[in-house]
């Protein structure tokens, strides 16, 4: 059985505790590798290595740092198939999906930031004939990069690439549930001439690795993606330390379907926006509001297509959905469905678990008929479960959408552009897509409002907070 190792100061090392945890393939319940159960002592070593590597790395010319990013991108592309396979084994996502979205976006993360970061300009402002202020951007220091299991390498590299390009050094803490692609990244990166200590990974749980990492006094920047409860805990743990922090958290995303849409085309889009990656994309819709005029016919078609979705072995090309990521998560999602059914929700599709193999499979589920204030409409499930409800007019739908502690994203399907824009402006969410979903452009800021996240700046690219502004004001 493969024992994963931590990657600290350019070395693969066992966890100091000499303890490992099983890493389970969710498609069959088998252990595929052992994940280090590291602790604060491993974190300390990694942070120390990153701290020592910081001065030289941050002073290196940005173009030179970005050459390393391009080398990494080339290596990932060369090992594309292996990355996709490891992600499928680890996470349960269909192999075709990993090849179509996750791994290409991983490569793009490195290539985009390698090109973009060197173009970030310094600027200056002159105060009459008195003074000239020069504004430049500075690397922050050691960055703690913590990520969830749903898009394991895509989210991690969306942090690693800009953090390194901007001159920070990093300690990564991938999800303990899906460690394989991050480990493989360390393996392909190891032979490259990247200076030791610039890139480090410590594997383990949130409690034993995540908490000591964010609280470490030599960590100057925390970039976290994960659940809202965890984000709130991190805020408490780092309170008073004045760290640069970005929290990308959960959501309860809404999708609006107007009366003028092409129904068949929109049903196809909705299937993806609801059930892609088993609904385990933070941007998936969980609440679908359909105009009352087309509610009956739209729901009939949506239910019909949903019942035809093939859920099965993620290695098979025909499987649109694979298993959920873990037994714990599978149980949590089933419990959510059961609670909602108990509260009176009608099950329009779904409700039976698949019995094939020992995997954590669940059929895509459509619920309807619960009060808007029920937790069904306000709490994130993060699985293949959506609710469908009718709405009468724009004011009503905006009110229902904003009746949520979250504000990550929303989608509006509507041919009338003016009406769509009007709804979009009123929705309190970080991203609103009109007639599309999951479109990604790394030049635009990404993140949530309300309890879906804090810390993004209105800068030109997604994770814009990696460098600090510095003003040097000289008297003339
Ligand atoms: P999680 O919050 O349980 O874990 C995320 C990461 O944080 C893991 O690496 C975990 O080990 C670590 N962690 C846990 N407790 C910690 C602590 N106290 N201190 C530091 N680190 C800690 O989330 P998850 O179950 O892995 O992922 C699912 C959640 O992530 C969902 O809520 C989903 O919406 C959210 N998510 C958000 C985005 C986004 O961009 N907003 C993207 C993907 C996923």
């Amino acid at each position: 059985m493969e024992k994963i190792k931590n990657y600290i100061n350019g070395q693969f090392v066992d966890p100091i505790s000499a303890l490992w945890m099983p890493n389970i393939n969710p498609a069959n319940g088998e252990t595929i590798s052992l994940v280090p159960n590291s602790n604060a002592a491993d974190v300390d070593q990694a942070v120390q290595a990153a701290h020592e590597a910081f001065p030289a790395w941050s002073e290196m010319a940005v173009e030179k740092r970005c050459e390393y990013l391009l080398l990494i991108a080339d290596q990932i592309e060369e090992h594309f198939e292996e990355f996709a396979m490891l992600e499928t084994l680890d996470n349960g996502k269909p192999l075709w999906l990993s090849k179509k979205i996750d791994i290409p976006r991983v490569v793009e993360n490195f290539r985009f930031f390698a090109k973009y970061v060197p173009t970030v300009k310094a600027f200056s402002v002159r105060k009459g004939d008195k003074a000239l202020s020069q504004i430049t951007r500075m690397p922050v220091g050691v960055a703690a990069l913590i990520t969830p299991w749903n898009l394991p390498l895509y989210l991690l590299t969306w942090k690693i690439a800009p953090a390194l390009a901007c001159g920070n050094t990093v300690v990564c803490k991938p999800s303990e549930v899906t460690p394989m692609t991050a480990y493989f990244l360390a393996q392909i990166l190891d032979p490259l001439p990247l200076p030791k200590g610039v890139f480090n990974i410590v594997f383990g749980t949130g409690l034993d690795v995540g908490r000591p990492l964010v609280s470490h006094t030599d960590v100057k920047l925390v970039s976290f993606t994960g659940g809202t409860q965890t984000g709130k805990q991190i805020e408490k743990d780092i309170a008073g330390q004045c760290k640069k922090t970005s929290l990308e958290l959960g959501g309860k995303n809404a999708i609006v379907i107007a009366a003028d849409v092409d129904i068949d085309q929109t049903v196809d889009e909705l299937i993806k926006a609801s059930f892609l990656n088993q609904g385990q994309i933070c941007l998936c819709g969980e609440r679908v509001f359909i105009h009352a005029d087309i509610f009956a016919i739209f729901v009939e078609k949506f239910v019909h297509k949903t019942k035809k979705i093939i859920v099965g072995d993620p290695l098979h090309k025909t499987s649109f959905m694979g298993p959920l990521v873990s037994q714990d998560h599978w149980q949590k999602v089933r419990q959510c469905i059961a609670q909602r059914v108990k509260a009176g929700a009608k099950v329009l599709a779904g409700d039976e678990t698949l019995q094939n193999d020992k995997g954590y499979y669940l059929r895509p589920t459509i619920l309807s008929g619960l009060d808007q204030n029920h937790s069904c409409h306000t709490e994130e499930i993060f699985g293949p479960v959506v609710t469908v409800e009718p709405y009468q007019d724009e004011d009503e739908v905006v009110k229902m959408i904003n009746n949520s502690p979250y504000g990550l994203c929303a989608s509006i399907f509507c041919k009338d552009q003016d009406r769509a824009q009007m709804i979009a402006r009123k929705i309190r969410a970080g991203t609103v897509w009109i007639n599309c979903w999951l479109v990604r452009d790394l030049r635009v800021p990404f993140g949530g409002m309300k309890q879906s996240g804090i810390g993004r700046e209105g800068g030109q690219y997604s994770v814009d907070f990696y460098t600090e502004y510095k003003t040097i004001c000289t008297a003339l």
Side-chain angles (χ1 to χ4, degrees):
M1 180 72 54
E2 182 174 24
K3 276 185 170 172
I4 290 176
K5 289 173 187 279
N6 291 327
Y7 188 68
I8 299 175
N9 206 21
Q11 304 283 326
F12 288 100
V13 290
D14 288 348
I16 292 165
S17 65
L19 295 173
W20 276 264
M21 306 172 278
N23 174 30
I24 309 287
N25 177 351
N28 56 23
E30 285 171 13
T31 302
I32 44 174
S33 63
L34 296 171
V35 198
N37 196 349
S38 313
N39 59 35
D42 305 276
V43 168
D44 196 46
Q45 286 189 352
V47 174
Q48 202 180 326
H51 182 67
E52 281 167 17
F54 177 69
W57 181 250
S58 59
E59 282 161 25
M60 185 183 282
V62 61
E63 293 81 4
K64 177 81 189 146
R65 289 197 299 260
C66 289
E67 278 172 22
Y68 288 109
L69 265 60
L70 294 174
L71 287 179
I72 298 171
D74 290 347
Q75 283 301 305
I76 296 168
E77 213 162 43
E78 207 173 311
H79 296 275
F80 186 93
E81 298 289 330
E82 288 145 284
F83 272 111
M85 180 59 81
L86 286 172
E87 189 166 68
T88 292
L89 294 177
D90 230 8
N91 173 280
K93 77 176 57 194
L95 186 59
W96 65 262
L97 180 60
S98 192
K99 287 184 185 179
K100 190 171 171 196
I101 294 192
D102 291 63
I103 308 305
R105 288 186 177 195
V106 167
V107 175
E108 194 196 354
N109 281 338
F110 285 100
R111 296 228 165 106
F112 173 83
F113 288 108
K115 264 200 213 143
Y116 183 75
V117 173
T119 68
V120 175
K121 294 181 183 65
F123 59 102
S124 59
V125 183
R126 194 182 155 121
K127 180 108 180 144
D129 58 0
K130 289 197 169 59
L132 180 73
S133 293
Q134 293 162 284
I135 297 104
T136 51
R137 306 204 72 184
M138 306 278 295
V140 183
V142 177
L145 310 181
I146 303 180
T147 45
W149 45 257
N150 63 323
L151 307 164
L153 197 61
Y154 159 13
L155 293 177
L156 186 63
T157 53
W158 193 357
K159 298 180 188 300
I160 293 171
L164 292 184
C166 292
N168 306 283
T169 54
V170 303
V171 178
C172 306
K173 207 305 266 172
S175 170
E176 61 274 32
V177 183
T178 51
M180 297 293 277
T181 46
Y183 184 47
F184 192 47
L185 179 69
Q187 288 173 316
I188 61 134
L189 202 139
D190 183 57
L192 301 180
L194 194 70
K196 288 186 191 323
V198 164
F199 169 85
N200 306 274
I201 306 191
V202 183
F203 294 95
T205 65
L207 211 60
D208 292 330
V209 174
R211 288 191 81 176
L213 178 59
V214 298
S215 321
H216 199 293
T217 48
D218 282 335
V219 166
K220 303 298 179 200
L221 183 163
V222 174
S223 175
F224 169 81
T225 302
T228 295
Q229 290 315 318
T230 314
K232 289 180 183 177
Q233 182 61 51
I234 291 174
E235 278 188 317
K236 284 186 202 154
D237 286 348
I238 62 175
Q241 289 196 31
C242 301
K243 288 183 188 195
K244 253 186 180 294
T245 309
S246 145
L247 304 174
E248 298 293 354
L249 308 176
K252 187 76 188 172
N253 310 316
I255 298 180
V256 182
I257 315 282
D260 65 356
V261 296
D262 174 320
I263 294 184
D264 289 314
Q265 204 183 328
T266 311
V267 163
D268 287 344
E269 289 298 315
L270 185 58
I271 294 269
K272 284 187 243 157
S274 308
F275 304 129
L276 202 66
N277 202 32
Q278 295 72 259
Q280 302 166 140
I281 298 179
C282 56
L283 306 167
C284 277
E286 290 196 5
R287 301 179 291 156
V288 184
F289 299 104
I290 303 158
H291 195 278
D293 286 357
I294 58 160
F295 185 77
I297 177 74
F298 191 95
V299 170
E300 188 190 319
K301 291 194 176 203
F302 182 41
V303 168
H304 179 72
K305 280 220 164 167
T306 298
K307 285 185 172 170
K308 285 188 160 172
I309 286 176
I310 298 177
V311 182
D313 186 339
L315 296 174
H316 286 176
K317 278 188 188 143
T318 52
S319 302
F320 179 74
M321 285 170 50
L324 269 64
V325 74
S326 67
Q327 189 170 29
D328 282 354
H329 191 58
W330 178 71
Q331 269 159 355
K332 183 208 131 181
V333 175
R334 291 173 71 214
Q335 219 168 19
C336 287
I337 298 171
Q339 278 167 1
R340 282 147 182 76
V341 171
K342 204 168 161 201
K346 272 190 278 171
V347 181
L348 306 181
D351 93 332
E352 84 266 40
T353 52
L354 296 182
Q355 296 303 316
N356 54 343
D357 305 327
K358 293 187 196 124
Y360 313 125
Y361 295 92
L362 192 65
R363 286 222 47 92
T365 301
I366 306 174
L367 304 174
S368 189
L370 279 183
D371 181 86
Q372 279 304 311
N373 291 317
H374 190 274
S375 61
C376 184
H377 293 294
T378 54
E379 283 172 17
E380 182 185 45
I381 299 175
F382 210 52
V385 185
V386 292
T387 56
V388 288
E389 303 297 343
Y391 73 91
Q392 301 291 340
D393 59 47
E394 282 80 28
D395 287 346
E396 183 194 14
V397 81
V398 167
K399 203 169 154 199
M400 290 194 288
I401 291 171
N402 288 338
N403 178 28
S404 163
Y406 298 107
L408 186 54
C409 71
S411 290
I412 301 166
F413 289 90
C414 178
K415 279 189 183 156
D416 180 339
Q417 277 293 328
D418 292 342
R419 182 170 288 192
Q421 290 284 344
M422 191 265 287
I423 300 173
R425 278 195 295 273
K426 291 183 183 168
I427 294 175
R428 297 281 303 155
T431 301
V432 181
W433 283 291
I434 296 178
N435 295 324
C436 56
W437 174 75
L438 205 64
V439 174
R440 177 188 184 206
D441 185 334
L442 286 169
R443 292 168 301 177
V444 304
F446 172 84
M449 292 183 182
K450 302 198 272 185
Q451 294 191 23
S452 289
I454 55 159
R456 71 170 173 172
E457 291 173 3
Q460 292 171 341
Y461 60 92
S462 319
V463 193
D464 190 37
F465 71 104
Y466 283 110
T467 50
E468 296 183 301
Y469 283 100
K470 176 174 179 177
T471 302
I472 300 176
C473 180
T474 316
L476 293 173

